[in-house]
Amino acid sequence: MIRKLLAMTPIEIKAALERHRVTQTRLAQAAGIEVDKLNKVLAGRRRLQLDENARIEAFFRPLDGGEAYSTGLAEDHLPASNLRAAPLPPRPDRQSKIPLLGSGQAGPDGVFELNNGEPIDYVDRPPGLAGKARIYCIYVDGDSMEPAHLHGDLLFVDAARKPFPGRDAVVELLPDNDGAPARAFIKRIVKLTPEFVELFEFRPKERTFRLARSKIRNLHLVLKNTDMY
């Protein structure tokens, strides 16, 4: 009973963060605590309030007692979409711009549809992409590819270059039925075969899984800074 009145120690919180591979920013957002205040708690410069402690314990409780995350290669647990369309500043000049492709924001079912028609908006073209026609950009939605790609990162994608093992790609699936939007997400390519594509994601826990080629509409290469500058 006494333990229930005590706040978690910084050591206990750090251990839980490491155990579940959760970032301090994610924990702070989930617990409704300012990141700076949480950092001070972890550094021993601030006392954790009981209501803050309750929210932190509530965040970790299902992770500690929840069902283990599958690390197999089955397709029965596809990841949620980690792409989203987002508004960008007005564009005075489209000649040196890259189109933002997307027909809607990813919803709770993880749906994101790449738009093959008129772009949603435009962003500035990096110098290394001058003259390239099949380039578009997207926003990362969620943390499944942290630390490689953070939530909110703007990524440039080359639809003309084929992805290869070790590089990240936009994976667009075929729709489940006629008229349904197609799901798309960012994952790292592990292996390419005529029958399947093997993919990797970092979170919620590192795992590799396979997708049959018959389920994939497009694979587009996500560009690195060295590709663009």
Side-chain angles (χ1 to χ4, degrees):
M1 297 298 294
I2 295 177
R3 177 66 186 89
K4 293 297 183 181
L5 299 177
L6 299 177
M8 294 177 68
T9 66
I11 293 177
E12 289 174 329
I13 297 175
K14 290 178 181 178
L17 289 171
E18 178 65 23
R19 183 165 64 252
H20 300 295
R21 300 185 183 182
V22 174
T23 64
Q24 294 180 23
T25 299
R26 182 183 174 193
L27 175 60
Q29 292 173 342
I33 305 172
E34 295 180 11
V35 177
D36 182 60
K37 290 183 177 180
L38 179 59
N39 290 338
K40 290 180 179 178
V41 169
L42 298 180
R45 300 196 303 271
R46 177 179 179 270
R47 184 183 297 275
L48 191 65
Q49 301 299 311
L50 291 181
D51 61 328
E52 296 172 337
N53 175 73
R55 294 194 295 270
I56 289 176
E57 287 190 339
F59 174 78
F60 284 120
R61 190 173 300 117
L63 298 180
D64 285 323
E67 188 174 313
Y69 194 81
S70 172
T71 58
L73 298 177
E75 292 184 10
D76 57 352
H77 187 77
L78 292 179
S81 172
N82 53 2
L83 308 183
R84 65 182 173 89
L88 292 172
R91 54 203 187 268
D93 175 21
R94 294 186 178 184
Q95 293 183 355
S96 61
K97 302 291 182 175
I98 297 287
L100 170 69
L101 297 187
S103 62
Q105 187 168 358
D109 57 354
V111 170
F112 179 90
E113 185 179 12
L114 295 178
N115 182 11
N116 295 319
E118 179 67 17
I120 300 299
D121 217 317
Y122 292 80
V123 298
D124 291 330
R125 179 182 293 270
L129 301 181
K132 294 183 180 294
R134 299 187 62 194
I135 306 293
Y136 64 89
C137 56
I138 50 177
Y139 279 113
V140 177
D141 193 30
D143 63 354
S144 69
M145 289 302 288
E146 288 187 8
H149 305 297
L150 304 181
H151 174 72
D153 280 354
L154 179 66
L155 300 184
F156 290 81
V157 183
D158 191 341
R161 291 180 61 184
K162 294 182 179 180
F164 50 91
R167 289 292 295 267
D168 298 334
V170 170
V171 183
E172 185 184 8
L173 303 181
L174 290 167
D176 293 332
N177 49 65
D178 292 340
R183 297 178 62 196
F185 41 78
I186 305 167
K187 294 292 171 241
R188 182 155 296 171
I189 301 292
V190 177
K191 185 176 183 179
L192 296 169
T193 75
E195 293 78 28
F196 65 84
V197 176
E198 193 168 306
L199 304 169
F200 171 83
E201 67 179 359
F202 290 93
R203 296 177 183 273
K205 289 188 177 180
E206 292 184 1
R207 71 157 182 156
T208 302
F209 62 98
R210 290 176 179 175
L211 284 178
R213 286 277 190 171
S214 59
K215 295 185 177 182
I216 298 174
R217 172 185 281 169
N218 289 308
L219 285 173
H220 294 161
L221 182 71
V222 173
L223 299 176
K224 295 183 176 181
N225 284 339
T226 52
D227 297 320
M228 301 182 291
Y229 297 98

